[in-house]
């Protein structure tokens, strides 16, 4: 009898342990469901923001014909990269190519460009003396100006390097890692 009682007791403990494990896994399922629901909500918000940004002109490079066009457009976005260039300037053309690649990847920032000769008031007001120049604007205020190509890696810079420097100034969301200097040039 005692032996039978012991077997029944061990079996009961094993079953209880199994039921406890199942209950724990159900709690984990609830946690995973909550995590999944939270992530779906985040994705929906990102998609809504993306649609809003697209309607504001984000995701592409926008040309500014004159100063009057710039100010109303600038009021619509929290973060703006304004590229001052001169037609035919090879460094400006090179930088423009990198920025055009980055614009569709960084919807959080508006990418604009202005011909310095066609926008003399803006050029003078922002004290643009070197071309190309990138004016980094946050919340409607100039946060920083990158004058020339030196800070972004010179004439041998890559799109990844430009992205990294802009990320360091928090004008775009930071890339995962600093680019390798020996990587293939684009």
């Amino acid at each position: 009898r005692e032996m039978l009682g012991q077997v029944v007791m061990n079996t009961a403990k094993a079953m209880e342990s199994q039921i406890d494990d199942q209950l724990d896994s159900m709690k984990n399922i609830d946690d995973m469901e909550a995590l999944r629901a939270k992530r779906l909500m985040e994705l929906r918000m990102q998609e809504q923001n993306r649609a809003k940004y697209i309607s504001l002109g984000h995701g592409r490079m926008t040309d500014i014909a004159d100063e009057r066009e710039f100010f109303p457009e600038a009021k619509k976005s929290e973060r703006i990269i304004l590229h001052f260039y001169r037609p035919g300037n090879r460094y400006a053309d090179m930088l423009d190519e990198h920025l055009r690649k980055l614009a569709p990847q960084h919807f959080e920032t508006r990418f604009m460009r202005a011909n310095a000769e066609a926008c003399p008031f803006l050029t003078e007001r922002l004290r643009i003396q070197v071309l190309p120049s990138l004016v980094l604007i946050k919340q409607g205020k100039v946060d920083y100006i990158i004058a020339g190509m030196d800070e972004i890696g010179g004439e041998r810079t890559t799109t990844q390097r430009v992205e990294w420097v802009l990320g360091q100034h928090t004008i775009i969301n930071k890339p995962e890692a600093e680019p390798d200097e020996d990587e293939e040039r684009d």
Side-chain angles (χ1 to χ4, degrees):
R1 264 187 205 247
E2 237 178 82
M3 198 158 164
L4 184 60
Q6 190 70 11
V7 169
V8 170
M9 187 61 95
N10 287 340
T11 305
K13 284 183 181 181
M15 287 177 64
E16 184 180 13
S17 178
Q18 244 180 350
I19 291 171
D20 285 346
D21 289 345
Q22 286 177 346
L23 286 173
D24 285 344
S25 70
M26 284 184 197
K27 288 178 188 173
N28 288 340
I29 289 172
D30 289 343
D31 290 346
M32 290 179 70
E33 285 297 319
L35 188 62
R36 183 175 182 270
K38 180 182 175 191
R39 182 67 183 135
L40 281 172
M41 182 64 92
E42 288 172 356
L43 289 172
R44 284 188 193 111
M45 290 296 292
Q46 285 177 353
E47 191 54 38
Q48 287 174 352
N49 285 339
R50 183 179 172 102
K52 179 184 107 181
Y53 287 146
I54 288 171
S55 73
L56 295 173
H58 291 232
R60 60 186 166 84
M61 179 69 80
T62 305
D63 283 305
I64 300 300
D66 60 40
E67 288 98 354
R68 290 172 294 183
E69 192 179 331
F70 171 72
F71 292 106
E73 289 297 314
K75 290 177 183 173
K76 297 176 186 176
S77 301
E78 291 180 19
R79 294 193 271 183
I80 298 170
I81 296 172
L82 178 59
H83 174 209
F84 278 91
Y85 72 98
R86 180 179 297 125
N89 179 312
R90 74 182 183 110
Y91 298 114
D93 293 343
M94 186 186 320
L95 183 55
D96 192 62
E97 186 179 320
H98 295 304
L99 294 172
R100 285 181 187 279
K101 289 178 184 176
L102 291 172
Q105 298 172 27
H106 293 280
F107 278 90
E108 72 277 7
T109 303
R110 177 96 186 257
F111 287 73
M112 304 169 95
R113 69 183 205 143
N115 179 343
E117 294 169 346
C119 300
F121 172 77
L122 209 49
T123 303
E124 186 177 317
R125 176 86 185 245
L126 296 173
R127 297 184 183 121
I128 303 299
Q129 298 174 351
V130 176
L131 295 177
S133 282
L134 296 178
V135 180
L136 311 182
I137 303 167
K138 295 180 188 172
Q139 308 289 329
K141 294 182 170 61
V142 173
D143 184 63
Y144 190 76
I145 297 175
I146 298 173
M149 298 286 287
D150 289 341
E151 186 174 341
I152 57 173
E155 67 181 88
R156 292 181 36 97
T157 194
T158 63
T159 301
Q160 291 79 15
R161 186 75 188 155
V162 174
E163 180 180 39
W164 175 258
V165 171
L166 294 173
Q168 293 305 302
H169 290 288
T170 64
I171 196 69
I172 61 172
N173 293 339
K174 288 185 179 183
E176 296 291 318
E178 186 170 6
D180 184 2
E181 294 301 319
D182 297 328
E183 72 187 17
E184 210 172 290
R185 304 278 176 211
D186 47 35

